[in-house]
Amino acid sequence: MNRFNLKDLTLILFIVFSVWSSSFENCCAREGRQYWRQSSKAVPASVLVKKPKGYNHAGRRMLSSAIFNVLDYGAKGDGQTDDTKAFEAAWVAACKVEASTMVVPSGSVFFVLPITFSGSSCEQNIVFQLDGKIIAPTSSQPWGSGLLQWLDFTNLKGFTIKGKGIIDGQGSVWWGDSGNMPSTKPTALRFYGSDGVTVTGITIQNSQQTHLKFDNCKTIQVYDINVSSPGDSPNTDGIHLQNSQDVVIYSTTLACGDDCVSIQTGCSNVYIHNVNCGPGHGISIGSLGKDNTKACVSNVTVRDIKMQNTLTGVRIKTWQGGSGSVQGIMFSNIQVSEVETPIMIDQYYCDKSKCQNESSAVAVSGIDYVNIQGTYKVKPVHFACSDNVPCTGVSLATINLEAAQESQSSDPFCWEAYGELRTTTVPPIDCLQTGKSPIAKAQSTVDSC
């Protein structure tokens, strides 16, 4: 009996102890939580680790704070103070945030030296919001012995420059023969090695040389921009394309002293439409093949264009001695007004006083001209093709070109140009040879592109 009572007593004591322990732990836990809530209020701010306002856990700015105004980085915007370092600082900050916006605000003029906005360490989809005005230096010192570009954007992905602002190269100091500036003239705005670039809304004016250049880029969109330089400003191309693919240019006005659009080697899938060109030298493919180089251009469409007071309309120009090809080109719905030579292929291009005769040439084939109308001042059509590599597959339809008043006009000119007239033309282009070139060498010597 005693033994039984001892067991019961032991069991009862164990149960009581367990219940008491559990109650003690819960009580301590509640007191501990209450103590932490109370004590955390008393911890000095100096020992707390805080994230800077506008940054996430990774230390990068959050999208809600992704506006970077150059004025906040020290820019003065008075048109005289050097704002280059402020632009550099704003760019470095914007680069850390995907889809950030670097703002150049309206109402200010920013004096900026030659600068490179590198995207090598940047996030994607950055926007350069240009609403103010950026001006270039007009003294020789900032340019050293000569630079190839003024505002340079490189290695970007998904980049947009937009706004109602102005990029002013103040190029008149470069155009004369004063001798104060370096002989190498820079491009005002250049993109290099970039993918997915959009340029819209802005004005580029008075460039030192080319206004807007794309080199080694792909997936480009340019629209609603204005280019403005005097017609006698030398080598001030509007838009220059080189080694770039998948390009669309539209709803744009280009007035300059050289080609409104220049399409160089390595370009393919280029679509240009609804563009006003003039003054200038027209829209050109080339020049190609200089210094015996190989050049390749393919799949270019130029349509719905208005040209006035330009040197040429739609032109292909190549140097003797080159190799490669230009093929798959369509020029359509081109309205010309007092253009010197609206339609031109020149395989004897030479911008020097004298060029050596060469037997090889960049092959030109598959060129279509459709609905080109208006007035010319010198010659309606000029096809000067290579003796050894004639132009082939040239077709013309709905061509109506009349001499402008008081012009010294001449008849269409053709040399080694083969193709077909799909409709009657005004004036008659009787010089175009029908069928294929009898020169077999024309095809055998063409380097594939």
Side-chain angles (χ1 to χ4, degrees):
M1 184 71 176
N2 292 335
R3 195 170 160 187
F4 175 78
N5 290 338
L6 182 61
K7 284 184 176 181
D8 289 345
L9 180 61
T10 302
L11 178 60
I12 291 169
L13 289 174
F14 177 78
I15 292 172
V16 170
F17 179 80
S18 299
V19 172
W20 178 82
S21 298
S22 176
S23 299
F24 180 79
E25 289 173 358
N26 290 335
C27 180
C28 289
R30 287 194 298 271
E31 289 180 356
R33 285 195 293 269
Q34 184 177 6
Y35 171 77
W36 172 247
R37 288 197 297 269
Q38 291 174 347
S39 64
S40 64
K41 295 178 182 179
V43 175
S46 59
V47 301
L48 290 177
V49 178
K50 292 184 177 181
K51 296 293 183 186
K53 186 177 180 181
Y55 282 76
N56 61 18
H57 66 279
R60 292 181 175 177
R61 280 190 181 272
M62 295 183 294
L63 294 181
S64 59
S65 301
I67 305 296
F68 303 88
N69 192 315
V70 295
L71 294 177
D72 295 333
Y73 290 83
K76 301 301 181 184
D78 58 12
Q80 297 179 344
T81 304
D82 182 0
D83 289 325
T84 310
K85 291 189 181 300
F87 273 62
E88 290 173 341
W91 178 256
V92 169
C95 270
K96 298 176 182 177
V97 187
E98 183 175 356
S100 64
T101 300
M102 176 174 166
V103 176
V104 180
S106 61
S108 298
V109 178
F110 300 92
F111 174 67
V112 177
L113 303 182
I115 183 174
T116 295
F117 300 96
S118 175
S120 298
S121 59
C122 279
E123 297 292 336
Q124 298 184 17
N125 303 318
I126 295 174
V127 175
F128 192 99
Q129 183 71 39
L130 174 59
D131 292 317
K133 184 175 184 180
I134 303 174
I135 61 173
T138 56
S139 62
S140 61
Q141 189 275 330
W143 303 101
S145 58
L147 296 174
L148 295 177
Q149 48 270 329
W150 168 35
L151 306 177
D152 190 27
F153 290 84
T154 68
N155 300 316
L156 296 161
K157 290 187 177 181
F159 178 81
T160 298
I161 179 169
K162 66 176 184 176
K164 300 300 181 183
I166 298 172
I167 293 173
D168 190 343
Q170 303 199 102
S172 60
V173 296
W174 299 81
W175 303 335
D177 297 323
S178 62
N180 295 327
M181 305 302 286
S183 58
T184 300
K185 301 178 179 66
T187 291
L189 175 61
R190 185 189 80 146
F191 290 91
Y192 177 81
S194 297
D195 184 0
V197 176
T198 298
V199 181
T200 180
I202 66 172
T203 294
I204 311 173
Q205 65 188 31
N206 301 320
S207 177
Q208 305 92 336
Q209 192 165 256
T210 298
H211 289 78
L212 174 60
K213 178 185 289 187
F214 295 93
D215 189 0
N216 200 32
C217 295
K218 59 183 178 179
T219 317
I220 300 162
Q221 184 174 213
V222 178
Y223 65 97
D224 290 337
I225 76 163
N226 289 284
V227 165
S228 178
S229 286
D232 60 353
S233 55
N235 302 119
T236 54
D237 293 67
I239 301 174
H240 182 97
L241 306 175
Q242 183 169 326
N243 294 315
S244 295
Q245 302 82 41
D246 303 324
V247 181
V248 180
I249 300 169
Y250 64 98
S251 300
T252 285
T253 298
L254 305 171
C256 55
D258 209 301
D259 295 323
C260 291
V261 181
S262 172
I263 302 168
Q264 301 294 323
T265 186
C267 291
S268 62
N269 301 332
V270 178
Y271 183 30
I272 302 168
H273 66 97
N274 297 97
V275 168
N276 292 327
C277 168
H281 290 183
I283 294 178
S284 296
I285 296 174
S287 62
L288 304 173
K290 187 175 182 180
D291 298 326
N292 305 108
T293 57
K294 180 179 179 179
C296 300
V297 175
S298 63
N299 194 16
V300 176
T301 297
V302 178
R303 62 176 300 163
D304 303 311
I305 308 295
K306 292 183 178 180
M307 299 187 183
Q308 52 280 334
N309 299 306
T310 56
L311 179 67
T312 64
V314 288
R315 171 171 58 163
I316 299 171
K317 49 181 177 174
T318 71
W319 293 75
Q320 295 184 74
S323 61
S325 68
V326 176
Q327 56 186 341
I329 313 299
M330 167 66 79
F331 299 115
S332 68
N333 301 339
I334 313 293
Q335 184 68 43
V336 296
S337 176
E338 297 192 345
V339 170
E340 291 191 18
T341 306
I343 298 174
M344 175 178 282
I345 298 176
D346 182 8
Q347 290 196 276
Y348 299 89
Y349 179 76
C350 177
D351 65 358
K352 300 180 289 186
S353 59
K354 187 177 181 180
C355 292
Q356 183 178 349
N357 289 331
E358 300 275 0
S359 59
S360 62
V362 178
V364 176
S365 63
I367 316 298
D368 294 324
Y369 301 90
V370 179
N371 191 27
I372 300 179
Q373 305 190 37
T375 59
Y376 66 93
K377 296 173 68 175
V378 177
K379 188 182 302 181
V381 174
H382 182 89
F383 291 146
C385 299
S386 167
D387 289 333
N388 285 11
V389 190
C391 301
T392 60
V394 177
S395 72
L396 299 103
T398 320
I399 308 299
N400 192 330
L401 298 169
E402 298 182 353
Q405 293 182 353
E406 300 181 0
S407 65
Q408 297 179 348
S409 61
S410 60
D411 295 332
F413 173 81
C414 306
W415 181 265
E416 293 297 338
Y418 291 80
E420 64 176 325
L421 301 177
R422 296 185 176 179
T423 68
T424 58
T425 63
V426 177
I429 307 175
D430 299 330
C431 59
L432 183 69
Q433 301 184 63
T434 59
K436 296 182 179 179
S437 166
I439 305 176
K441 191 176 179 182
Q443 300 301 323
S444 63
T445 60
V446 175
D447 291 337
S448 61
C449 283

Short mmCIF file of all heavy atoms in Angstrom, two decimals, residues 5 15 24 26 29 39 131 134-135 137 148 175 192 286-287 299 312 335 369 380 383 385 409 442 444 449:
data_model
loop_
_atom_site.label_atom_id
_atom_site.label_comp_id
_atom_site.label_asym_id
_atom_site.label_seq_id
_atom_site.Cartn_x
_atom_site.Cartn_y
_atom_site.Cartn_z
N ASN A 5 1.28 4.27 -2.86
CA ASN A 5 1.13 5.70 -2.56
C ASN A 5 2.37 6.49 -2.98
O ASN A 5 2.29 7.64 -3.42
CB ASN A 5 0.86 5.89 -1.07
CG ASN A 5 -0.55 5.39 -0.71
OD1 ASN A 5 -1.40 5.30 -1.59
ND2 ASN A 5 -0.73 5.06 0.57
N ILE A 15 3.90 16.08 -12.52
CA ILE A 15 2.90 16.86 -13.26
C ILE A 15 2.90 18.30 -12.79
O ILE A 15 2.87 19.25 -13.58
CB ILE A 15 1.51 16.22 -13.10
CG1 ILE A 15 1.47 14.85 -13.82
CG2 ILE A 15 0.42 17.14 -13.66
CD1 ILE A 15 0.19 14.08 -13.53
N PHE A 24 6.26 29.38 -16.20
CA PHE A 24 7.40 30.28 -16.00
C PHE A 24 8.01 30.73 -17.33
O PHE A 24 8.34 31.88 -17.53
CB PHE A 24 8.46 29.56 -15.14
CG PHE A 24 9.68 30.39 -14.89
CD1 PHE A 24 9.67 31.39 -13.91
CD2 PHE A 24 10.84 30.19 -15.62
CE1 PHE A 24 10.80 32.14 -13.68
CE2 PHE A 24 11.96 30.95 -15.40
CZ PHE A 24 11.95 31.93 -14.43
N ASN A 26 6.55 30.83 -20.32
CA ASN A 26 5.64 31.74 -21.02
C ASN A 26 5.68 33.13 -20.44
O ASN A 26 5.66 34.13 -21.15
CB ASN A 26 4.21 31.20 -20.98
CG ASN A 26 4.05 29.97 -21.84
OD1 ASN A 26 4.79 29.79 -22.77
ND2 ASN A 26 3.06 29.13 -21.49
N ALA A 29 8.87 34.75 -21.47
CA ALA A 29 8.83 35.12 -22.89
C ALA A 29 8.05 36.40 -23.08
O ALA A 29 8.44 37.29 -23.84
CB ALA A 29 8.22 33.99 -23.71
N SER A 39 12.84 48.51 -24.61
CA SER A 39 14.24 48.88 -24.70
C SER A 39 14.61 49.37 -26.09
O SER A 39 15.51 50.19 -26.22
CB SER A 39 15.12 47.69 -24.31
OG SER A 39 14.93 46.62 -25.23
N ASP A 131 15.54 68.57 -72.00
CA ASP A 131 14.60 69.67 -72.22
C ASP A 131 15.31 71.03 -72.27
O ASP A 131 14.74 71.99 -72.77
CB ASP A 131 13.53 69.68 -71.12
CG ASP A 131 12.61 68.48 -71.22
OD1 ASP A 131 12.20 68.14 -72.35
OD2 ASP A 131 12.32 67.86 -70.18
N ILE A 134 22.22 72.20 -74.54
CA ILE A 134 23.63 71.86 -74.30
C ILE A 134 24.46 72.49 -75.41
O ILE A 134 24.16 72.32 -76.59
CB ILE A 134 23.84 70.34 -74.28
CG1 ILE A 134 22.95 69.67 -73.23
CG2 ILE A 134 25.30 70.02 -74.01
CD1 ILE A 134 23.02 68.16 -73.26
N ILE A 135 25.50 73.23 -75.03
CA ILE A 135 26.35 73.88 -76.02
C ILE A 135 27.79 73.38 -75.89
O ILE A 135 28.25 73.00 -74.82
CB ILE A 135 26.31 75.42 -75.90
CG1 ILE A 135 26.81 75.88 -74.53
CG2 ILE A 135 24.90 75.94 -76.16
CD1 ILE A 135 26.95 77.41 -74.42
N PRO A 137 32.09 73.76 -76.54
CA PRO A 137 33.12 74.80 -76.47
C PRO A 137 33.52 75.26 -77.87
O PRO A 137 33.52 74.49 -78.82
CB PRO A 137 34.27 74.11 -75.75
CG PRO A 137 34.05 72.65 -75.96
CD PRO A 137 32.58 72.46 -76.04
N LEU A 148 36.98 62.77 -82.26
CA LEU A 148 36.01 62.29 -83.24
C LEU A 148 34.57 62.52 -82.83
O LEU A 148 33.67 62.42 -83.65
CB LEU A 148 36.23 60.79 -83.50
CG LEU A 148 37.56 60.41 -84.15
CD1 LEU A 148 37.67 58.90 -84.26
CD2 LEU A 148 37.69 61.07 -85.52
N TRP A 175 33.88 75.66 -89.42
CA TRP A 175 33.55 75.60 -90.84
C TRP A 175 34.44 76.48 -91.71
O TRP A 175 34.64 76.20 -92.89
CB TRP A 175 32.10 75.99 -91.08
CG TRP A 175 31.12 75.14 -90.32
CD1 TRP A 175 31.32 73.86 -89.89
CD2 TRP A 175 29.81 75.51 -89.89
NE1 TRP A 175 30.21 73.40 -89.22
CE2 TRP A 175 29.26 74.40 -89.20
CE3 TRP A 175 29.04 76.67 -90.02
CZ2 TRP A 175 27.98 74.42 -88.66
CZ3 TRP A 175 27.77 76.69 -89.48
CH2 TRP A 175 27.25 75.57 -88.80
N TYR A 192 27.69 54.28 -79.94
CA TYR A 192 28.58 53.21 -80.36
C TYR A 192 28.27 51.93 -79.57
O TYR A 192 28.05 51.97 -78.35
CB TYR A 192 30.05 53.60 -80.14
CG TYR A 192 31.01 52.49 -80.49
CD1 TYR A 192 31.37 52.26 -81.82
CD2 TYR A 192 31.51 51.64 -79.51
CE1 TYR A 192 32.23 51.22 -82.16
CE2 TYR A 192 32.37 50.60 -79.83
CZ TYR A 192 32.72 50.40 -81.16
OH TYR A 192 33.56 49.35 -81.49
N GLY A 286 26.53 55.16 -99.15
CA GLY A 286 27.93 55.41 -99.44
C GLY A 286 28.38 56.79 -98.99
O GLY A 286 27.62 57.52 -98.36
N SER A 287 29.64 57.10 -99.29
CA SER A 287 30.47 56.38 -100.25
C SER A 287 31.05 55.09 -99.67
O SER A 287 31.30 55.00 -98.48
CB SER A 287 31.62 57.27 -100.73
OG SER A 287 32.46 57.65 -99.64
N ASN A 299 19.18 45.48 -98.09
CA ASN A 299 17.82 45.61 -97.56
C ASN A 299 17.58 47.01 -96.98
O ASN A 299 17.41 47.18 -95.77
CB ASN A 299 17.54 44.54 -96.51
CG ASN A 299 16.05 44.42 -96.19
OD1 ASN A 299 15.21 44.91 -96.94
ND2 ASN A 299 15.74 43.79 -95.08
N THR A 312 21.68 66.03 -104.60
CA THR A 312 21.11 64.84 -105.23
C THR A 312 19.85 64.45 -104.47
O THR A 312 19.58 64.97 -103.38
CB THR A 312 22.10 63.66 -105.23
OG1 THR A 312 22.37 63.28 -103.88
CG2 THR A 312 23.39 64.02 -105.93
N GLN A 335 9.38 62.88 -103.55
CA GLN A 335 8.97 64.15 -104.15
C GLN A 335 10.16 65.11 -104.10
O GLN A 335 10.66 65.42 -103.01
CB GLN A 335 7.79 64.74 -103.40
CG GLN A 335 7.23 66.02 -104.00
CD GLN A 335 6.55 65.80 -105.35
OE1 GLN A 335 5.81 64.83 -105.52
NE2 GLN A 335 6.82 66.68 -106.30
N TYR A 369 13.39 51.91 -108.32
CA TYR A 369 12.95 53.30 -108.21
C TYR A 369 11.48 53.34 -108.61
O TYR A 369 11.13 53.02 -109.75
CB TYR A 369 13.77 54.20 -109.12
CG TYR A 369 15.26 54.20 -108.86
CD1 TYR A 369 16.10 53.30 -109.52
CD2 TYR A 369 15.84 55.10 -107.97
CE1 TYR A 369 17.46 53.30 -109.29
CE2 TYR A 369 17.20 55.11 -107.74
CZ TYR A 369 18.01 54.21 -108.40
OH TYR A 369 19.37 54.21 -108.18
N PRO A 380 18.14 64.61 -114.75
CA PRO A 380 17.13 63.83 -114.04
C PRO A 380 17.67 62.51 -113.49
O PRO A 380 17.35 62.10 -112.37
CB PRO A 380 16.05 63.59 -115.10
CG PRO A 380 16.78 63.69 -116.40
CD PRO A 380 17.86 64.70 -116.19
N PHE A 383 23.36 57.37 -114.17
CA PHE A 383 23.84 56.03 -113.83
C PHE A 383 25.24 55.85 -114.42
O PHE A 383 25.39 55.59 -115.61
CB PHE A 383 22.92 54.96 -114.41
CG PHE A 383 21.55 54.89 -113.76
CD1 PHE A 383 20.44 54.56 -114.52
CD2 PHE A 383 21.38 55.14 -112.42
CE1 PHE A 383 19.18 54.49 -113.94
CE2 PHE A 383 20.13 55.07 -111.82
CZ PHE A 383 19.02 54.75 -112.59
N CYS A 385 28.14 53.41 -114.03
CA CYS A 385 28.50 52.14 -113.42
C CYS A 385 29.84 51.63 -113.92
O CYS A 385 30.35 52.06 -114.96
CB CYS A 385 27.40 51.11 -113.69
SG CYS A 385 25.79 51.60 -112.99
N SER A 409 19.48 72.06 -117.89
CA SER A 409 19.23 70.63 -117.78
C SER A 409 19.82 69.86 -118.94
O SER A 409 20.10 70.40 -120.01
CB SER A 409 17.72 70.38 -117.72
OG SER A 409 17.10 70.86 -118.91
N ALA A 442 31.25 40.25 -114.09
CA ALA A 442 30.50 41.06 -113.14
C ALA A 442 30.04 40.25 -111.95
O ALA A 442 30.00 40.74 -110.82
CB ALA A 442 29.29 41.69 -113.83
N SER A 444 31.34 36.95 -111.19
CA SER A 444 32.38 36.07 -110.65
C SER A 444 33.33 36.79 -109.71
O SER A 444 33.96 36.16 -108.86
CB SER A 444 33.17 35.45 -111.79
OG SER A 444 33.85 36.44 -112.56
N CYS A 449 28.92 38.91 -99.24
CA CYS A 449 28.81 39.76 -98.04
C CYS A 449 28.11 39.00 -96.92
O CYS A 449 27.14 38.32 -97.15
CB CYS A 449 28.04 41.03 -98.37
SG CYS A 449 29.03 42.24 -99.28
#
